[in-house]
Amino acid sequence: MRFRILGTLEVRAYGDRVTLASPRQQRALAALLLNPNSVVPVERMIDALWEDEPPATAVKQVRNCVSALRSRLGETGGMIVTDGPGYRLQADGDDLDSLRFRRHVAAARGLAGQAKLVDAVEEIRAALALWRGPALDGLRTTTLAGRAAVLDEQRADAVELCAEWRLRLGETGEVVRELTEFCGEHPMRELSHLLLMRALAKEGRYAEASTVFHGLRRRLADELGVDPNPDLRRLHEQILAEATPSDLDPEPAEPSPERHHLDRAVTELAEAVTWQWRAEAELRSLHRPQPIVLRWSAVARPGRPAARGVLDDIAETFAALPVRQLVVLGDPGSGKSVLALMLTLELLRTRAPGTPVPVLLSLASWDPRREHLDRWLANRLADNHPALLNAREYGPGAPTRLVLGGHVVPVLDGLDEMPTDLRAAALDALDQTMAVGRSLVLTSRSAEYEQVTREAGPVLGAATVVRLEPVARQEAITYLSARGSDRWLPVAERLRREPDTALGQVLRTPLMVDLARIGYGRPGADPAELLAAGDAGALEGQLLDSFVPNAYAQVPQPPGRNPKTSPTGRYTAEQATRWLGFLARHLERARSRDLAWWQLYRAVPAGTRSALIGTLIALFFVVTGWVDDGPALAAIYGLSFGGAGYLTHRFGRAPEPLRTELRFAGATGKFAGRFAIGAVVGGLLGLGWSLAAGLVVVLAVVFGCVFAVHVWLAKPVDASRVSSPATILRNERTGAIALSVSFLVSLGLFDGMAFAFTANTRFLPVLDGRYDVALGIAGGVAGAAFGWFMARGVAAVCYGLAGVIAGGQVFPPAPNSLLPIVVGVCFGGGIGLAVLVTRAWGNYFVHHVWLAATGRLPWRLMHFLDDAHRRGVLRQAGGVYQFRHARVQERLAEISHDEQEVR
């Protein structure tokens, strides 16, 4: 199945065109194709299908339209799946021409970055050849027109990029012909006219180039009241001076590789952040037809004019500030995080090429006493976009250079969500770092911010401070009764008549208004129950308590639902409340808002988790020692290696995800080098234990392969991809398992061979020959190297001592051929497990199993968290989850604590 939207809408199956006779089906399909692999809410589908007021049966008609569309598409109709609040069309890179276009353009940019301009031009021309006219030509409704215009803008950018590259190749004639036509179609694009003037000047056609300039200047003055940009004016002055072509348009100096890498990083970071938060906004339904109106007003300051506005104009206000520093204050639940998200998206939408990229981050994970703001920003960029750490693709230290070079506008959400004792230090650090006029957006609860400023004194003096206003009564009424239900009339009447009652006080924040609609918007619920509350705190608690049960209400699921991407009915409200409460308590104890799977081990007491890991490791080595030489050796092996595991995880540093992915391209040279190192190590081990020459060769080959395969675990290369909890876990799991299996195979094979075939040579025997000092030293060195490689200092000492104790033990040769196999498997399994638990995924796996077995978490935790995210209980911020709102987390933690006290 092939879909084409770069022109008129076309659908082809097996080379034949599929006719969509109904304009409504065409618009529905267009809405899905403009958002491939993303959820299109039913409300947006309604806007796409009806230009004017939709009928009362609009939702039902949308469902019927999608059903008819699936039937029309035949066997490929299954690509359209019901997903949460809407529908999603699953398409890969070859199904849709707009996705193929983006892929070609990205490839062309990469080739140009490698100075392969001929290939880059060929690639970008292949991208432009996919276009047959304006996107969705003849099918643009108001809703569809905006997204289609974005595609048209991308095409225009590609045309200009192609022209620029062809000019550098000397293809001036072709550029003149193509840009003359293109500038006629786009009479206001300054870069296109600049390139056309350069091409004309290179051919000596100065008069024509000057005519192009004057025509553009006249149109800009008439339409916008502005002059052409400085580059155009300078070029025109050179033309008027009748300079020679070489003087007129000197070849620009080739940008340094570092500059090119950084420019590419900026471009791809902007793309990644856009997709990240656009998807989150859609999942949170922030673009609903009738959202709650957020109003703000500027806090009065000397010399600052008073200003007021709504959410829609905050980006314009920010861009017009003399110093682009904005502090957003508000009460709990007033919409600060929503404003930060929507501001980020709007700044990205209006961002000009080469300007800084707004990046939305939660402040909850920053400790200003230990980490400089810029270092923390760079680390967060690396966490969310690990490809930026790939020096070959983006240059060395790209995250740090992006931050220090002013290519990032930090949008920092939640100063109040930081621990109380860190807020003053954080605000002081922000004041010092941003004093040079760097752009910044900061959100905080009003009371917490005012308290900190009283303690720390005046800070961020150049910043404009705005305060979110309470939701107006009529706005709350309009939002609650948006579906036209008369059930809300008693609530509306009470709000109008008695605005200062408990109900009126609670429904002054968007969070509580939204929770009221979620709780009482379902059929059968009676909003009049809200009128009985006499205490604002009790009513707020009632609404918070109803959030999770309503989110997990069991409702019939429509056919065609994709279980991998839609909320599932497998979890009950009681289970969800218990598990989410445990996680909220875990975050409360950790003083954090970020729910990271690799930090789940903190939910288990330190002594318990260390004993758990030490016992698991000891079990394998007990069996190894028992088979080698009975219970005495079993005790020595178990205590030494189990103790090493216990001490490492009790006092060592917890592992962090490596964020790698499998990549085979360009790894041949590194593979050969690693293979040689591994072969030398394996050969030396075989010779040290007096193995036969053939066995030494086998060990050398095995160790060489084991060492070499790790070169395939490399940093990602695409910074336009954003980390998610699932992708980080998947990539880390691949690396952890590969690493542990490699140690299992190599050291298990070695130990089995040593047990079966060693010549029992003694070097420095002591204790009546039961211990060899030379082998003990060798074992200690090997254990220390192993520990250092796995977890650095503490592990090196612990496993070094274990190697000294266990490595020098002398035991008799194997009496039969089966025992060496058992010994090799058990020894390798113990080593593999020791490696696994020093990796983030292995550490998570062990503790997750323990918590699930004790009933505190579900067995499929990541599935449960993803399901909670799709239900709106959690939000996703890069590689971590967060509760939808701090008040939700606080309430769930409080309930969990009370239940624990009762038990």
Side-chain angles (χ1 to χ4, degrees):
M1 182 65 72
R2 292 289 184 268
F3 300 97
R4 306 174 72 185
I5 61 174
L6 303 182
T8 56
L9 176 65
E10 284 186 15
V11 183
R12 292 187 175 273
Y14 307 107
D16 297 325
R17 185 167 180 172
V18 178
T19 303
L20 301 176
S22 166
R24 193 169 294 168
Q25 290 183 18
Q26 295 175 15
R27 290 194 290 269
L29 180 60
L32 295 170
L33 291 173
L34 284 171
N35 302 272
N37 301 309
S38 297
V39 177
V40 181
V42 172
E43 288 86 352
R44 197 189 306 167
M45 297 282 287
I46 292 173
D47 289 344
L49 267 59
W50 287 277
E51 283 275 10
D52 49 6
E53 187 69 18
T57 59
V59 173
K60 183 178 180 180
Q61 291 192 45
V62 167
R63 292 172 181 163
N64 293 338
C65 181
V66 171
S67 178
L69 186 58
R70 287 171 174 157
S71 176
R72 190 64 183 166
L73 295 178
E75 62 182 17
T76 57
M79 297 172 67
I80 303 176
V81 298
T82 304
D83 193 346
Y87 301 93
R88 180 169 51 82
L89 187 143
Q90 300 179 128
D92 62 32
D94 294 322
D95 292 334
L96 181 59
D97 56 356
S98 62
L99 295 179
R100 296 202 302 275
F101 169 75
R102 289 183 61 215
R103 187 176 63 201
H104 280 302
V105 171
R109 289 181 183 276
L111 290 168
Q114 301 172 31
K116 299 178 180 178
L117 287 184
V118 174
D119 295 335
V121 168
E122 182 178 351
E123 192 73 27
I124 205 166
R125 286 176 67 85
L128 293 170
L130 296 171
W131 286 80
R132 298 166 289 109
L136 291 178
D137 197 9
L139 194 64
R140 296 191 180 190
T141 64
T142 303
T143 300
L144 299 177
R147 302 299 292 268
V150 173
L151 290 173
D152 291 339
E153 182 70 16
Q154 292 175 356
R155 178 202 179 198
D157 292 341
V159 169
E160 292 167 343
L161 201 57
C162 181
E164 183 177 354
W165 291 340
R166 297 184 74 180
L167 275 179
R168 292 168 63 182
L169 292 172
E171 299 174 6
T172 55
E174 289 294 324
V175 171
V176 168
R177 282 191 291 273
E178 292 179 4
L179 283 185
T180 299
E181 179 181 354
F182 185 79
C183 289
E185 298 172 354
H186 302 80
M188 309 289 284
R189 290 188 70 90
E190 293 181 274
L191 179 56
S192 304
H193 287 75
L194 176 68
L195 294 171
L196 176 57
M197 290 171 61
R198 283 181 177 173
L200 289 168
K202 279 193 172 184
E203 292 195 333
R205 299 159 65 177
Y206 302 126
E208 295 175 58
S210 182
T211 300
V212 169
F213 175 82
H214 286 297
L216 175 64
R217 183 171 65 178
R218 183 175 60 255
R219 288 189 295 274
L220 289 174
D222 292 343
E223 297 291 333
L224 304 176
V226 298
D227 285 329
N229 64 47
D231 290 337
L232 276 162
R233 296 199 299 270
R234 280 194 296 270
L235 179 57
H236 184 242
E237 291 170 2
Q238 291 176 325
I239 291 171
L240 292 178
E242 294 185 355
T244 63
S246 58
D247 293 332
L248 175 66
D249 186 26
E251 284 293 318
E254 287 291 329
S256 66
E258 291 78 8
R259 182 69 221 178
H260 166 73
H261 289 153
L262 193 63
D263 290 343
R264 181 182 168 195
V266 171
T267 301
E268 296 191 8
L269 177 63
E271 182 180 351
V273 176
T274 300
W275 283 105
Q276 173 189 5
W277 294 113
R278 183 182 296 167
E280 190 68 18
E282 291 176 354
L283 197 62
R284 298 190 206 175
S285 300
L286 297 183
H287 297 292
R288 284 175 289 206
Q290 292 179 310
I292 305 174
V293 176
L294 293 179
R295 301 183 184 278
W296 55 267
S297 58
V299 176
R301 282 193 178 185
R304 300 281 178 87
R308 300 183 75 244
V310 296
L311 174 62
D312 292 342
D313 57 26
I314 189 66
E316 183 179 346
T317 301
F318 178 75
L321 293 176
V323 177
R324 292 187 180 179
Q325 294 183 358
L326 181 68
V327 178
V328 180
L329 304 180
D331 295 331
S334 59
K336 301 180 295 297
S337 295
V338 170
L339 183 144
L341 191 157
M342 302 307 291
L343 172 60
T344 300
L345 285 175
E346 184 62 18
L347 291 176
L348 286 164
R349 188 186 70 80
T350 58
R351 172 183 171 270
T355 56
V357 179
V359 178
L360 175 57
L361 299 170
S362 169
L363 272 171
S365 64
W366 179 34
D367 185 346
R369 297 175 303 188
R370 299 182 179 181
E371 197 171 25
H372 189 275
L373 174 65
D374 287 336
R375 183 179 295 278
W376 176 77
L377 289 172
N379 289 340
R380 290 305 304 271
L381 282 183
D383 289 342
N384 292 342
H385 312 276
L388 291 174
L389 295 174
N390 192 317
R392 187 174 129 189
E393 297 292 330
Y394 302 101
T400 302
R401 289 187 295 130
L402 286 172
V403 172
L404 297 181
H407 301 289
V408 171
V409 178
V411 181
L412 306 178
D413 186 27
L415 176 71
D416 55 280
E417 295 179 359
M418 301 180 71
T420 306
D421 56 331
L422 296 183
R423 293 171 191 161
L427 208 52
D428 181 64
L430 284 167
D431 189 48
Q432 293 183 27
T433 306
M434 298 297 169
V436 294
R438 290 165 56 180
S439 298
L440 167 73
V441 178
L442 174 68
T443 75
S444 175
R445 293 181 183 178
S446 301
E448 283 79 353
Y449 182 83
E450 290 164 0
Q451 179 183 354
V452 174
T453 53
R454 283 196 300 268
E455 296 173 357
V459 290
L460 296 175
T464 298
V465 181
V466 301
R467 193 183 305 275
L468 288 173
E469 299 179 349
V471 177
R473 282 176 297 167
Q474 190 55 48
E475 294 292 351
I477 293 170
T478 301
Y479 181 78
L480 291 171
S481 57
R483 296 182 183 273
S485 174
D486 294 338
R487 295 181 298 115
W488 289 97
L489 289 178
V491 173
E493 181 61 27
R494 174 68 65 84
L495 287 175
R496 292 190 182 100
R497 190 177 66 251
E498 302 177 45
D500 294 326
T501 60
L503 179 64
Q505 295 174 32
V506 169
L507 296 185
R508 289 178 180 175
T509 64
L511 174 65
M512 291 301 151
V513 176
D514 199 32
L515 291 182
R517 181 175 176 179
I518 293 172
Y520 293 94
R522 298 180 182 276
D526 184 7
E529 294 177 6
L530 295 169
L531 304 178
D535 179 72
L539 179 56
E540 182 175 318
Q542 175 185 332
L543 291 175
L544 288 168
D545 292 345
S546 69
F547 176 52
V548 172
N550 281 302
Y552 284 85
Q554 300 295 322
V555 295
Q557 295 295 328
R561 178 181 63 85
N562 186 346
K564 294 183 177 179
T565 56
S566 301
T568 176
R570 72 164 57 236
Y571 307 114
T572 66
E574 181 182 358
Q575 289 175 321
T577 302
R578 184 173 73 253
W579 294 331
L580 290 169
F582 174 79
L583 292 171
R585 282 276 291 158
H586 157 58
L587 293 180
E588 184 182 70
R589 289 191 294 267
R591 304 173 73 190
S592 175
R593 299 293 184 194
D594 293 343
L595 182 55
W597 58 261
W598 58 90
Q599 294 178 350
L600 184 66
Y601 71 94
R602 294 181 178 177
V604 180
T608 302
R609 62 176 182 252
S610 303
L612 180 64
I613 289 177
T615 301
L616 290 174
I617 294 173
L619 288 175
F620 284 91
F621 287 100
V622 164
V623 176
T624 302
W626 198 294
V627 174
D628 278 344
D629 196 27
L633 191 59
I636 293 173
Y637 271 32
L639 290 173
S640 58
F641 285 101
Y646 174 88
L647 294 172
T648 295
H649 290 269
R650 186 68 175 85
F651 302 106
R653 186 177 180 181
E656 293 283 332
L658 292 179
R659 292 176 170 84
T660 58
E661 64 182 12
L662 284 174
R663 194 169 74 248
F664 303 101
T668 305
K670 288 184 177 180
F671 187 95
R674 292 284 187 89
F675 182 91
I677 295 173
V680 170
V681 172
L684 291 175
L685 286 173
L687 293 173
W689 263 259
S690 305
L691 297 180
L695 298 177
V696 172
V697 172
V698 171
L699 279 178
V701 171
V702 171
F703 271 74
C705 291
V706 164
F707 274 55
V709 295
H710 299 302
V711 303
W712 295 335
L713 297 173
K715 293 293 180 186
V717 297
D718 185 3
S720 66
R721 291 164 51 191
V722 187
S723 289
S724 69
T727 57
I728 294 176
L729 184 141
R730 185 166 54 249
N731 292 338
E732 167 66 14
R733 178 176 57 202
T734 300
I737 292 177
L739 195 65
S740 60
V741 169
S742 66
F743 274 91
L744 186 155
V745 171
S746 58
L747 294 180
L749 179 66
F750 162 71
D751 193 67
M753 283 185 174
F755 185 40
F757 303 111
T758 182
N760 291 312
T761 304
R762 300 293 178 261
F763 300 99
L764 296 172
V766 295
L767 302 176
D768 296 329
R770 293 192 300 273
Y771 186 88
D772 192 301
V773 175
L775 293 180
I777 293 174
V781 171
F786 166 79
W788 179 264
F789 180 69
M790 289 298 99
R792 296 298 185 262
V794 174
V797 174
C798 295
Y799 281 101
L801 290 174
V804 170
I805 295 170
Q809 300 297 321
V810 177
F811 45 85
N816 58 61
S817 58
L818 177 62
L819 291 183
I821 297 176
V822 175
V823 167
V825 170
C826 292
F827 185 86
I831 291 293
L833 179 61
V835 172
L836 188 66
V837 295
T838 58
R839 301 267 53 85
W841 180 81
N843 193 40
Y844 157 79
F845 177 79
V846 170
H847 295 103
H848 169 228
V849 169
W850 173 260
L851 293 170
T854 54
R856 286 172 281 184
L857 288 178
W859 285 100
R860 298 184 64 192
L861 176 60
M862 297 306 295
H863 182 275
F864 171 71
L865 296 178
D866 181 65
D867 181 76
H869 177 222
R870 295 189 176 279
R871 293 177 187 274
V873 179
L874 300 178
R875 63 190 183 194
Q876 185 177 308
V880 301
Y881 288 115
Q882 297 170 340
F883 280 89
R884 170 184 171 168
H885 193 275
R887 289 289 293 116
V888 174
Q889 177 183 323
E890 291 163 2
R891 186 66 178 182
L892 284 168
E894 182 182 338
I895 293 173
S896 176
H897 179 267
D898 291 343
E899 290 178 351
Q900 193 173 23
E901 290 292 326
V902 170
R903 292 183 193 141

